[in-house]
Amino acid sequence: MALLDRAEWYDIARATNWTPKYVSQAELFPDLMTGAQGVPMEKWEVYDEPYKTSYPEYVRIQREKDAGAYSVKAALERSRIFEDADPGWRSILKSHYGAIALGEYAAMSAEARMVRFGQAPGMRNMATFGMMDENRHAQIQLFFPHEYCPKDRQFDWAHKAYHTNEWAAIAARHAFDDLFMSRSATDIAVMLTFAFETGFTNMQFLGLAADAAETGDFTFASLISSIQTDESRHAQIGGPALQVLIANGRKAEAQRLVDIAIARAWRIFCILTGPSMDYNTPLEHRKQSFKEFMQEWIVGQFERSLIDLGLDLPWYWEKMIAEFDYQHHAYQMGLWFWRPTLWWNPAAGVTPECREWLEEKYPGWNATFGKCWDVITDNLLNGRPELTAPETLPIVCNMSQIPICAVPGDGWNVKDYPLEHEGRLYHFNSEIDRWIFEQDPARYRDHMTLVDRFLAGKISPPNLLGALIYMNLQPGEMGDDAHGYSWVEKFREPAKAAAE
Amino acid sequence: MALFPVISNFQYDFVLQLLPVDTDNTMDEVAAAAAHHSVGRRVAPRPDKVVRVRRQGDEQFFPRDARLHETGIKPMETLEFIFCDR
């Protein structure tokens, strides 16, 4: 039997809005869940998804994608990439899986909300596929690292991280709860698919796949490419939703959602991808700096998308771009210095050659971040490793849940951005983080950072050891220098020569 | 005499840190406690200098012998620790 072309039946089959008889429209689609902001249902029917597919097409393509990724994995199971790869690369894998895998299940739940409460039939269609995409992403990103667990128990954190109160896991949960677990269907379309996926994950996954291929980890490259092709499809849910909001006089609210989401996504991206690109990736495999990547792929991409849609650049755009010069360097120092609190082993990434590269890419690095690394390196060279370990907690931002940090040394600009609200003093990393809080204080005010929990007596004993126990980090899981401090030796000869 | 948490923003360091001190501590003692977590760890020692304490954003430092409970500093307020000649 000949089948009709999709284009001949799609529009009719998609028209699934109806007029309810037994309940009111408001009961069936409460505004709280739809986020339609009073835009009536018929106005949403102009929503036209740019990427169309049918269920049989979807299943056929997804089956091929899975078969591709799993067969590469099977074919390379006996390769020695895991053993031979630079330890910095293994750290990228561990941080990626722990921070992302279970977040994909959360994203599946968010897609499901759009399936049920989306006002536009096209959005519900796209989100149905998106929901299945995210389920696949969670499963495949749990299955692949599972193989490594017997070799290295830090890989167990691919599944474990989200079930703990480890600080980075708290940060990931806080951001993802805000971006899509506790938002309406329309908010999810804007914040998850448009801002987070189009802007950041889609690009990140492209970059990560290229880095994996460069490192020789073809299993991870094929896995990430496979996921990215799904992302690039379902990330398109947000654009038409924004068009409907703007066409119906809701630009200000749409802009606010976009501005919050980009700011929150930037923090996660900055701490996860920044140190990965500029420190954990071995020098010989670096294609471009994190700053160059952000300017070329993220800024350009976002500026075009926002302006094409009729939105403005976020009010903080220039401030965010200014952070490309320093914020991830500060996060890297925090990750390395508080390394026992991680489920991966951060690479210091500051050999003399690395420092030369950092100075070239970020002029002034040696006079700022380099000054702190000088002290750290000197302590390691002179048998004082205890001084490279933390004895207190960093102050954590009440929005990002990431330590508040900035430029040290000659360019010292570290600053708290405090806010007193209903008698409680909050601390933020920047004006941007504080602005997000001010948009909806009731939404955020009761959350306790790790430091708040420490001060409230929830961590026992009340010291760093107690904090590690609270974070569920077991011996053999706590992070340490990825290269076992071997990089310090590269400084020993010049230091000896200088002393003589 | 009571345990009192403040936030240390130490000159030339990269991060804010939790600093448990005591209400009876003088500003010099508070500065020494802050230095313990920064100087020699990420900030190079400057033996010719003293570390003075001020509120974030203030020009004026607290007197070196002022006790914490006399200053009006609130719990979890951010203090700047600055290298000075005296």
Side-chain angles (χ1 to χ4, degrees):
Chain A
M1 189 177 74
L3 292 173
L4 288 172
D5 283 346
R6 177 175 11 93
E8 292 179 60
W9 55 263
Y10 188 87
D11 286 347
I12 298 171
R14 184 182 57 174
T16 51
N17 276 359
W18 73 101
T19 308
K21 284 185 188 164
Y22 302 104
V23 291
S24 70
Q25 189 75 18
E27 284 174 295
L28 196 57
F29 288 103
D31 213 45
L32 184 69
M33 298 303 279
T34 65
Q37 299 172 36
V39 177
M41 198 146 191
E42 62 271 17
K43 298 282 189 191
W44 287 92
E45 289 171 6
V46 302
Y47 178 107
D48 192 27
E49 60 277 31
Y51 188 107
K52 296 179 174 63
T53 188
S54 68
Y55 185 69
E57 288 170 312
Y58 177 82
V59 171
R60 182 174 55 75
I61 292 167
Q62 297 305 97
R63 186 183 173 284
E64 284 167 12
K65 285 186 200 171
D66 258 3
Y70 282 87
S71 62
V72 170
K73 178 180 185 296
L76 295 177
E77 228 141 53
R78 289 197 178 78
S79 79
R80 291 189 49 81
I81 178 67
F82 182 86
E83 289 77 10
D84 296 344
D86 185 276
W89 177 250
R90 287 202 289 276
S91 299
I92 292 175
L93 294 184
K94 290 171 193 171
S95 60
H96 170 86
Y97 282 127
I100 302 297
L102 282 207
E104 304 276 14
Y105 275 137
M108 178 179 73
S109 185
E111 294 276 347
R113 188 161 302 151
M114 290 190 285
V115 174
R116 169 61 183 85
F117 292 105
Q119 294 284 272
M123 184 199 284
R124 297 199 294 270
N125 255 12
M126 290 277 281
T128 304
F129 300 123
M131 180 179 67
M132 290 188 286
D133 290 341
E134 303 293 13
N135 189 39
R136 183 174 92 91
H137 300 171
Q139 293 182 346
I140 198 168
Q141 288 179 101
L142 290 174
F143 184 72
F144 277 47
H146 185 257
E147 177 196 349
Y148 297 141
C149 288
K151 297 178 182 175
D152 183 337
R153 67 183 284 188
Q154 287 180 327
F155 275 99
D156 190 32
W157 279 67
H159 189 260
K160 181 176 170 179
Y162 275 73
H163 298 292
T164 71
N165 282 319
E166 193 278 342
W167 69 268
I170 294 175
R173 284 201 301 269
H174 189 282
F176 293 151
D177 279 359
D178 189 19
L179 285 171
F180 52 85
M181 283 296 273
S182 60
R183 292 278 179 181
S184 67
T186 309
D187 289 5
I188 291 166
V190 173
M191 301 178 93
L192 170 61
T193 71
F194 175 76
F196 190 70
E197 291 180 335
T198 314
F200 289 93
T201 54
N202 193 17
M203 287 298 141
Q204 189 207 355
F205 277 42
L206 276 173
L208 203 52
D211 285 350
E214 177 73 21
T215 307
D217 189 347
F218 296 105
T219 304
F220 192 67
S222 79
L223 163 75
I224 290 297
S225 302
S226 179
I227 291 172
Q228 190 274 331
T229 56
D230 291 353
E231 293 283 314
S232 64
R233 171 171 33 73
H234 69 236
Q236 296 176 41
I237 293 174
L242 279 165
Q243 286 171 331
V244 172
L245 288 174
I246 293 165
N248 289 280
R250 306 295 191 278
K251 179 181 166 180
E253 182 52 23
Q255 182 81 49
R256 200 176 67 87
L257 293 174
V258 166
D259 291 0
I260 292 170
I262 293 175
R264 299 230 54 183
W266 157 240
R267 284 273 169 268
I268 298 178
F269 198 66
C270 186
I271 194 164
L272 204 56
T273 310
S276 290
M277 288 185 73
D278 284 356
Y279 293 89
N280 280 291
T281 298
L283 190 56
E284 62 273 22
H285 293 146
R286 284 179 212 164
K287 284 265 167 53
Q288 56 184 169
S289 70
F290 178 62
K291 178 184 175 182
E292 289 162 347
F293 175 82
M294 289 301 295
Q295 283 172 329
E296 182 174 345
W297 296 100
I298 306 294
V299 171
Q301 150 105 4
F302 255 135
E303 286 184 355
R304 271 194 308 279
S305 310
L306 291 167
I307 287 156
D308 287 352
L309 281 164
L311 289 167
D312 302 321
L313 296 179
W315 64 268
Y316 53 74
W317 201 242
E318 293 305 320
K319 288 180 193 296
M320 186 184 84
I321 291 172
E323 287 189 11
F324 296 174
D325 275 318
Y326 65 87
Q327 190 65 65
H328 68 293
H329 297 305
Y331 286 163
Q332 160 68 7
M333 190 168 287
L335 290 171
W336 192 88
F337 207 87
W338 272 269
R339 56 203 178 283
T341 70
L342 305 178
W343 67 80
W344 68 94
N345 300 327
V350 288
T351 61
E353 300 77 31
C354 288
R355 290 181 62 140
E356 212 169 288
W357 182 88
L358 286 161
E359 182 65 32
E360 181 201 323
K361 298 292 182 185
Y362 302 91
W365 187 93
N366 274 317
T368 52
F369 293 94
K371 288 273 173 83
C372 290
W373 283 108
D374 287 344
V375 179
I376 292 168
T377 306
D378 192 53
N379 283 332
L380 291 168
L381 277 171
N382 292 294
R384 298 187 295 264
E386 71 282 1
L387 292 179
T388 72
E391 287 186 34
T392 187
L393 295 174
I395 297 300
V396 173
C397 172
N398 277 101
M399 184 51 60
S400 69
Q401 311 299 315
I402 298 171
I404 296 174
C405 52
V407 182
D410 293 353
W412 184 60
N413 71 350
V414 182
K415 196 177 158 193
D416 180 21
Y417 291 82
L419 177 74
E420 196 164 330
H421 177 77
E422 293 179 353
R424 181 176 161 190
L425 186 57
Y426 296 84
H427 306 277
F428 299 96
N429 190 69
S430 70
E431 261 182 271
I432 310 171
D433 299 274
R434 186 167 59 187
W435 172 82
I436 300 172
F437 183 94
E438 287 170 327
Q439 298 313 295
D440 192 354
R443 182 175 179 82
Y444 305 110
R445 69 183 173 201
D446 296 328
H447 187 269
M448 293 173 83
T449 67
L450 195 73
V451 175
D452 295 330
R453 296 175 203 194
F454 184 83
L455 293 170
K458 291 177 186 294
I459 294 174
S460 175
N463 53 30
L464 196 71
L465 178 67
L468 293 171
I469 294 167
Y470 182 77
M471 290 189 258
N472 209 353
L473 282 151
Q474 305 297 325
E477 295 178 343
M478 294 172 197
D480 200 354
D481 183 80
H483 297 92
Y485 307 93
S486 59
W487 55 274
V488 180
E489 295 309 312
K490 297 199 173 183
F491 289 92
R492 200 172 294 281
E493 286 312 311
K496 205 188 277 177
E500 289 162 5
Chain B
M1 188 169 154
L3 200 62
F4 195 91
V6 293
I7 295 176
S8 162
N9 185 10
F10 208 98
Q11 189 178 25
Y12 306 133
D13 205 352
F14 82 107
V15 68
L16 301 186
Q17 298 184 98
L18 179 63
L19 185 64
V21 283
D22 192 283
T23 47
D24 280 346
N25 285 153
T26 63
M27 288 299 108
D28 272 358
E29 287 166 338
V30 172
H36 176 77
H37 296 293
S38 292
V39 177
R41 290 177 196 268
R42 294 171 303 267
V43 177
R46 304 183 72 171
D48 55 324
K49 303 277 184 185
V50 294
V51 177
R52 300 289 304 267
V53 188
R54 68 185 180 198
R55 284 198 164 92
Q56 177 175 287
D58 276 6
E59 291 286 319
Q60 285 290 101
F61 293 103
F62 292 108
R64 291 175 58 181
D65 57 356
R67 295 190 184 275
L68 190 58
H69 65 82
E70 299 163 350
T71 59
I73 293 169
K74 293 181 199 158
M76 291 304 280
E77 201 172 333
T78 302
L79 303 177
E80 288 178 348
F81 294 88
I82 308 290
F83 289 107
C84 296
D85 290 328
R86 57 193 172 83

